[in-house]
Amino acid sequence: MAIVCGLFRLLGSSSNAIQHLPKSIPLLIIRRFSLPSTRKDPDLESALSRNKRWIVNSRLKNIILRCPNQVAPVKFLQKKFKTLDLQGKALNWLKKYPCCFDVYLEEDEYYCRLTKPMMALVEEEELVKEAQEPVLADRLAKLLMMSVDQRLNVVKLNELKRSFGFGDDYVVRIVAKYGDVFRLVNYSGRKSSMEIELLSWNPELAVSAVEAAAAGNESGSEPSFSCSLPTTWTNPWERFEEFNASPYISPYREPGEVVEGEKESEKRSVGVVHELLSLTLWKKLSVVKLSHFKKEFGLPEKLNGLLLKHPGIFYVSNKYQVHTVLLREGYDGSELVHKDPLVVVKDKFGELMQQGLYEYNRRRYLANLEKKREKGIESVKSVGRKRDRIDHEDDDVDDQENRGGRPGGMFDPEERKRFYQILFSDTQ
């Protein structure tokens, strides 16, 4: 296996690489490199294709806010570009978003600060976080209530904090403030073993999204999962109905309660993953990061197999070779059914960013058009075509500026693949 891995590193992951492998290596081994996923759903795949520039600008915003007086030298941001997996000049990138970043020259050095509309969104996001603080505290309590020992490792939880809406200061803002509900413990003494422990069990919180939906149903039906597959998917529907026929098992177990039986254990595992996804902002999680919590939430060793076994409940994508699981019922097409207030604010940031990018592209287009007119090489017909195109391609980016005049950049296939690994890592 080590030989195969080495060959793939040398030859790459393309189909040409397989043709160059020695005949002595069985194709059965090569097949193990394939990444299983659910049958493609265009709408949900589109939901995963979140704007890559949104991630970069969100991180730049956080970097600037942490600088003295919330002003960052462009040279300093340039050094951060590598950590954002970008090439080229930071100055060129910042100028693409005039509605978000205010770039100015002072004593022969460029500086950057957030614009007034951007600062207004930052303040709005902070107000939403304060208003949502009790909700976030309940969300954290529900996570601990689902865990086997009612405690979770802080370092591991940090991997998913963005997915659940927790800020960088959630330990101080939530854990310390709600001392009657949580406490920090360290039973091993190692720095990386710090855990958040639940102090009090709240029966009112021990209600899953499935149970809440059943309670709100006027027909008074028993709690059960819903299937979001087309009726033409006959076999998956039959398997779902057979699975759903047995009683629903809540993911919230009282301490000491044990689930016996293979089918019952599977039922609870599906319920746990369903509830975890229900608690996230975007109803999705990285499968790799979720698998880090198998022990804490009592999930099966072959977690990916469990998710693929229930395509009516979960949608598993390996877009850009990054496993991501989405909750099907959380989406209507490619849009979230219910948007968390934090998601609404983040969407406003995306709209502001797009507005600035559109203005930048239009100014650049008109400037280039004027240059061509001066040279007398622009025909009236081509002007009309390009004028129509600029209204639909406001997200266009100059390849040379992104690449910095070198091979690679965000539009290079390898760079793009590595960038999307960051994009879907739930660190936004």
Side-chain angles (χ1 to χ4, degrees), residues 140-159:
L140 179 59
K142 287 169 81 75
L143 289 174
L144 294 171
M145 290 168 68
M146 275 190 287
S147 65
V148 176
D149 299 318
Q150 280 74 61
R151 61 175 186 266
L152 292 171
N153 182 280
V154 175
V155 176
K156 292 175 70 173
L157 188 57
N158 284 343
E159 295 181 21

Side-chain angles (χ1 to χ4, degrees), residues 219-236:
S219 62
S221 58
E222 291 294 320
S224 62
F225 297 107
S226 62
C227 182
S228 304
L229 291 177
T231 53
T232 53
W233 291 31
T234 309
N235 291 338

Side-chain angles (χ1 to χ4, degrees), residues 268-281:
R268 181 191 175 274
S269 295
V270 171
V272 169
V273 177
H274 184 286
E275 184 68 3
L276 287 172
L277 292 173
S278 298
L279 294 174
T280 62
L281 298 182

Side-chain angles (χ1 to χ4, degrees), residues 175-297:
V175 177
K177 186 173 181 179
Y178 295 85
D180 57 329
V181 182
F182 315 107
R183 72 173 177 180
L184 288 173
V185 296
N186 192 338
Y187 292 114
S188 69
R190 296 193 302 271
K191 186 177 180 181
S192 60
S193 300
M194 189 72 70
E195 295 176 311
I196 301 174
E197 187 174 58
L198 185 72
L199 293 179
S200 59
W201 181 277
N202 186 349
E204 295 181 0
L205 294 179
V207 179
S208 67
V210 173
E211 292 170 319
N217 195 336
E218 295 180 358
S219 62
S221 58
E222 291 294 320
S224 62
F225 297 107
S226 62
C227 182
S228 304
L229 291 177
T231 53
T232 53
W233 291 31
T234 309
N235 291 338
W237 261 102
E238 290 177 354
R239 291 195 297 268
F240 170 78
E241 290 175 350
E242 181 182 353
F243 172 77
N244 215 26
S246 60
Y248 173 79
I249 298 178
S250 174
Y252 299 102
R253 299 187 300 172
E254 290 281 357
E257 184 181 346
V258 179
V259 176
E260 297 181 352
E262 184 178 343
K263 290 185 178 180
E264 289 76 8
S265 179
E266 180 183 348
K267 194 88 173 185
R268 181 191 175 274
S269 295
V270 171
V272 169
V273 177
H274 184 286
E275 184 68 3
L276 287 172
L277 292 173
S278 298
L279 294 174
T280 62
L281 298 182
W282 286 278
K283 313 307 174 192
K284 72 178 183 69
L285 281 173
S286 161
V287 176
V288 173
K289 292 187 177 182
L290 179 59
S291 66
H292 294 169
F293 292 87
K294 291 176 184 176
K295 181 179 178 181
E296 287 83 348
F297 293 116

Side-chain angles (χ1 to χ4, degrees), residues 4 21-32:
V4 178
L21 286 175
K23 294 182 179 179
S24 58
I25 298 178
L27 289 179
L28 181 62
I29 296 178
I30 298 172
R31 287 177 62 85
R32 293 184 64 184

